[in-house]
Amino acid sequence: MKFGVVVFPGSNCDDDMVHVLGEVMGQEVKKIWHKETSLDDFETTDCIVLPGGFSYGDYLRAGAIARFSPIMQAVIEFANRGGLVWGICNGFQILCEAGLLPGVLLRNANQQFICKNVHLKAMSSHSPVTKLIPGNQVLKIPIAHAEGRYFASDEVLESLQANDQILFKYCTPEGEINAAANPNGALHNIAGICNAGRNVVGMMPHPERASESVLGNTDGRILFESLLNAQVMAGA
Amino acid sequence: MQINQLEVSAETAGKLGLTEEEFDSIVKVLGRTPNFTELSIYSVMWSEHCSYKNSIHWLKTLPREGKRLLVGAGEENAGLVDIGDGLGCAFKIESHNHPSAIEPYQGAATGVGGIHRDIFTMGARPIAALNSLRFGNPNSDHMKHLVKGVVKGIGDYGNCFGVPTVGGEVYFHPCYNQNILVNAMSIGIVKAGETVSAIASGPGNPVFIVGSATGKDGIHGATFASADLTEDSAQDLPSVQVGDPFQEKLLLEATLEAIQTGAIVGMQDMGAAGISCSTSEMSAKAGTGMRIDLDKVPTRQSDMQAFEILLSESQERMLIVGIRGQEQALLEVFQKWDLVCEEIGEVTDTGRLEFFQSGEKVADVPSHSLVLGGGAPVYQREYRKPEYLKKIARFSLNAVKKPESYPEVTRRLAASPNLSSKRWIYEQYDSMVRTNTMTTNTFSDAALVRVKGTQKAIAATTDCNSNYVYADPYVGTMIAVAEAARNLVCSGAEPVAITNCLNFGNPYNPEVYYQFVHAIKGMGDACNKFGTPVTGGNVSFYNQSVFKDKTEPVNPTPTIGMIGIIDDHQKAMTLDFKAAGHQIYMIGTPHNDLGSSEYLRVIHDIHLSPVPKFDLDEEYHIQFNLKRLIKKGIIQSAHDVSEGGLFFCLLESAMPRQMGFHIETDGNFRKDAYLFGESQSRIVLTVKEEQEDELLNYLNTHNVPFSRLGEVSEGQISVDSEDFGDIGEWKSGYDSHLNSMMESAEA
């Protein structure tokens, strides 16, 4: 079992993800340059991560150019074969642009970049990254984005709800899901979702920034632990 | 018409900002009259910005030696200190004041881009950014526009570039109404032995330009050209450069990767004066020359004249000297990152810079003659004690009316944007990318950044209260250094070295030059005391407001950027009160002193008063003992008393965990001076009751002056048993003042 972290020009959370997966979680991890065209080294039990950053400068629209990178065809095929794909922040935006996840991420309601700790609640434990998170647990995990306001049509939202695809919602420190806890104006406070096949996950918050005690916050680790646990289950 | 065919005279030189005397020395150096291109090169290289001609005499008096310094001050693009574990830390601060006053977004953005390039051109990976900002009255719509533009510019550039903005300072004062200050600092880490020098050694070696194409942006000579020569061409030249953080991110990754090939001899980024500056400085350092073919420089526009290519300040470019025969290794790296890398010439042994265009030699100048430390002029300006200092000396504390209601006055003071949270600003900056920022979830007087692969953390701060420097340039600047060191010590770090950004008015104004000279003297004395040498920095003169009948310089603002080291990041100290019942002490000496305080300005509208009480030896003594107290694990928190005085120090320690405090003042002092005075060298500590004896024993045996103030409460605040309300009320005001100010329309 191993991890691949895709590096687009302008990715800037790739090193952070490699550090947490490799140094903190002790997993085998390698970077994948965006000009590569195949993921033949990876099994469907492995996980491909699309990290945060500003791929192609986020010019045009966040993620809009990255989806045309050579590696993305291979990522789409990998996902279609059932391989795990996890997009965080810019990675989430790219997955939406590439059609692997439904909906879009619009400019934050206040029109500003926002970097701060927010609180999250896992809405479903039926996913690779939420498996171990108790339903009532509130996680403190930071966001850092200008385009993170999740939006989708009513039909899409209905099907997300019907299929239990909403994984995270923004909440207050006490766990209330309300407008006051919504940092960017996301529909229904949505912070993260998965696809119908539950093998493609996208989320705006950065668990890799909350996984080490030296940084004063380890709430993000449970996502990585869930992922490893899911892998063990899948491999067994 | 080609500008180069123009007849050049002392008058032409004058229009480019050179004096007659300077023109004569150029003629002497060349043994002939320069052509227009050559004159343009001299005009930018001998400008204040590149030559430091009016400041270098005094800068050289600063302490520039230290056992940790890996390069001397001014020798490279940034200072470099040894932090152990085989690592070096490169850091520098630089101003981008004038561009930001004209176009706040791009001005601030390119300021950030420029300072990061100074760091990675040395081979260091930037790991943290700080800034120091000065704005005018925040209630005016124009100032709000500037604040919003600068903050968005810093954010957009740094966020995309992927380096966290971890700290800084923001002050509002009407002296900056017309001339805001934007100082940006970058800190990078490099493995010892992998640094790159800005040097062009090895005649025959190829010279490459990499990164963005060269355009007509930021050309100083443009004004001249448009007025007298090519009336139709220059209308569209922007005077402020435009930044592209995405391009800079690629440039960062590509250059760090290119260094690993071993095929690089030297490298310098292109900032002020573009190709002129990088070619001359790199050659002068090696005693070499260069032959450069300007036709090979990738340009954005066609028909760029030689002087335009040479002076362009287009961003995100580097000049690289490679090793002849190993060009391919370099080219492959830049190709991988889809960046242009063009060989434009080679190093020569002539000591001359020879520029060619369309087969003709368009300029031929000795590289040494252009640069600081070489042929660039050095001046000592006259100075005179400013008249306003007499008024300050006449200040009388007795004339200051004592408040009738302390809670009421304190609430009014709390609404000052200088004392309220800068959250509205810093939440627009990515402060956490690279996962090293230790001060996201805990709070310290300095920003703390873990160094991966080691147990160490780097502590960093920027400090300067320009009101103090205005009141007394010598003592005020000592305080700026002392406060920076104090902030590092309060966070558990050992101060190591400083970089400075010297923002002053016009150096030809003798009163301004007095401020400058005395600031340098104060900085030198304080840096010597703390053992923190000056590794470099930047001077920005001509910061002033222009009125119909006069010009007013900004407050002298010598910003200090200081870094320190914590050997074991688990030993970092925090500023927040931890639990009710913890005892609150202050070390240091209180005074009947309200000099230059925020309280005098906000509550009493008094703008001329002396610098706060400060004694360098006592400051050192306090810091030395605080370090010991932290190492011994005796205290629970440490926070220095600064703007707003003791009350606001306590409030800042109370807010993170929504604690309160009950304290008693000392009847030997005016109560307002005790609560709001800003006399220096005071630190508020908390201690668990069971360690109180240990603390007292230490303080008594080490001759540390102290006062017991009171104790931490669950949330209520009282002073001398008078109710000041609950912490929740103070915190919500603290968090929202600046926000409401920025989001509201002009009153």
Side-chain angles (χ1 to χ4, degrees), chain A residues 120-199:
Chain A
L120 298 179
K121 224 172 175 174
M123 306 307 292
S124 164
S125 60
H126 184 32
S127 92
V129 299
T130 55
K131 196 167 189 309
L132 302 179
I133 307 175
N136 56 357
Q137 187 175 343
V138 175
L139 301 174
K140 181 174 80 173
I141 296 185
I143 54 167
H145 59 248
E147 296 172 47
R149 175 159 59 103
Y150 185 77
F151 184 84
S153 66
D154 289 346
E155 301 88 80
V156 168
L157 277 176
E158 266 170 45
S159 87
L160 285 177
Q161 263 152 0
N163 297 316
D164 196 24
Q165 285 171 249
I166 299 172
L167 300 185
F168 294 105
K169 284 191 176 185
Y170 302 109
C171 66
T172 65
E174 295 76 32
E176 298 259 352
I177 296 165
N178 58 27
N182 190 338
N184 54 22
L187 274 187
H188 297 286
N189 283 40
I190 291 174
I193 59 171
C194 67
N195 65 347
R198 316 199 82 77
N199 61 319

Side-chain angles (χ1 to χ4, degrees), chain B residues 157-470:
Chain B
Y157 205 101
N159 299 346
C160 177
F161 185 56
V163 174
T165 302
V166 299
E169 50 168 2
V170 183
Y171 286 96
F172 298 89
H173 190 287
C175 76
Y176 304 110
N177 276 348
Q178 285 189 26
N179 195 132
I180 61 171
L181 303 182
V182 174
N183 297 175
M185 176 167 164
S186 174
I187 300 172
I189 293 287
V190 58
K191 276 191 193 145
E194 291 188 5
T195 53
V196 176
S197 181
I199 193 164
S201 37
N205 278 334
V207 178
F208 299 93
I209 190 167
V210 304
S212 295
T214 299
K216 293 187 180 184
D217 38 352
I219 301 170
H220 293 305
T223 335
F224 173 80
S226 66
D228 284 320
L229 299 158
T230 53
E231 280 175 324
D232 53 343
S233 70
Q235 304 292 333
D236 55 351
L237 305 188
S239 57
V240 179
Q241 313 89 314
V242 175
D244 180 353
F246 170 61
Q247 189 76 1
E248 176 126 318
K249 169 70 173 167
L250 302 185
L251 195 58
L252 162 72
E253 300 300 337
T255 48
L256 293 186
E257 205 169 304
I259 291 167
Q260 297 298 322
T261 64
I264 290 182
V265 169
M267 178 159 65
Q268 179 159 340
D269 74 303
M270 271 175 266
I275 297 177
S276 299
C277 187
S278 51
T279 52
S280 56
E281 290 186 354
M282 290 182 79
S283 308
K285 178 176 276 183
T288 57
M290 281 184 195
R291 284 172 65 93
I292 301 288
D293 184 353
L294 296 177
D295 295 331
K296 291 191 176 155
V297 175
T299 55
R300 285 184 203 155
Q301 287 106 330
S302 52
D303 299 330
M304 279 181 75
Q305 304 209 33
F307 86 94
E308 293 174 318
I309 297 174
L310 286 166
L311 269 54
S312 164
E313 295 187 359
S314 290
Q315 299 289 293
E316 292 92 24
R317 298 179 301 159
M318 289 274 190
L319 196 74
I320 293 180
V321 174
I323 295 174
R324 184 59 83 199
Q326 297 183 33
E327 296 88 342
Q328 198 49 36
L330 282 184
L331 293 173
E332 274 168 18
V333 171
F334 289 101
Q335 206 160 26
K336 173 187 163 186
W337 289 93
D338 297 318
L339 286 173
V340 172
C341 175
E342 196 65 46
E343 185 176 335
I344 59 168
E346 66 176 25
V347 179
T348 65
D349 59 5
T350 60
R352 306 184 73 83
L353 296 176
E354 299 164 87
F355 296 104
F356 294 82
Q357 194 179 39
S358 310
E360 275 179 47
K361 191 187 274 189
V362 291
D364 183 349
V365 290
S367 56
H368 185 75
S369 71
L370 293 164
V371 302
L372 162 68
V378 176
Y379 302 123
Q380 286 188 61
R381 295 283 153 218
E382 56 167 320
Y383 54 90
R384 185 178 65 232
K385 191 169 182 175
E387 281 299 311
Y388 73 83
L389 290 177
K390 287 181 191 156
K391 289 188 202 156
I392 283 179
R394 289 199 292 270
F395 170 83
S396 158
L397 184 62
N398 293 332
V400 178
K401 202 167 149 258
K402 292 178 188 169
E404 278 163 24
S405 161
Y406 275 89
E408 189 265 332
V409 159
T410 313
R411 285 190 178 91
R412 269 167 60 205
L413 193 49
S416 162
N418 289 327
L419 297 181
S420 47
S421 169
K422 309 302 183 291
R423 179 186 299 260
W424 183 87
I425 293 173
Y426 69 71
E427 280 188 354
Q428 296 186 53
Y429 304 149
D430 190 336
S431 54
M432 310 174 198
V433 62
R434 303 207 67 75
T435 60
N436 296 318
T437 312
M438 295 166 59
T439 33
T440 299
N441 298 297
T442 60
F443 307 87
S444 293
D445 273 4
L448 302 180
V449 181
R450 160 268 298 265
V451 182
K452 285 198 178 107
T454 74
Q455 281 300 105
K456 291 195 167 81
I458 290 178
T461 181
T462 56
D463 287 289
C464 178
N465 185 320
S466 69
N467 296 296
Y468 304 168
V469 187
Y470 179 74

Side-chain angles (χ1 to χ4, degrees), chain A residues 50-67:
Chain A
L50 306 191
F54 289 69
S55 56
Y56 295 91
D58 274 359
Y59 294 140
L60 191 59
R61 195 172 63 237
I65 304 176
R67 65 173 277 223

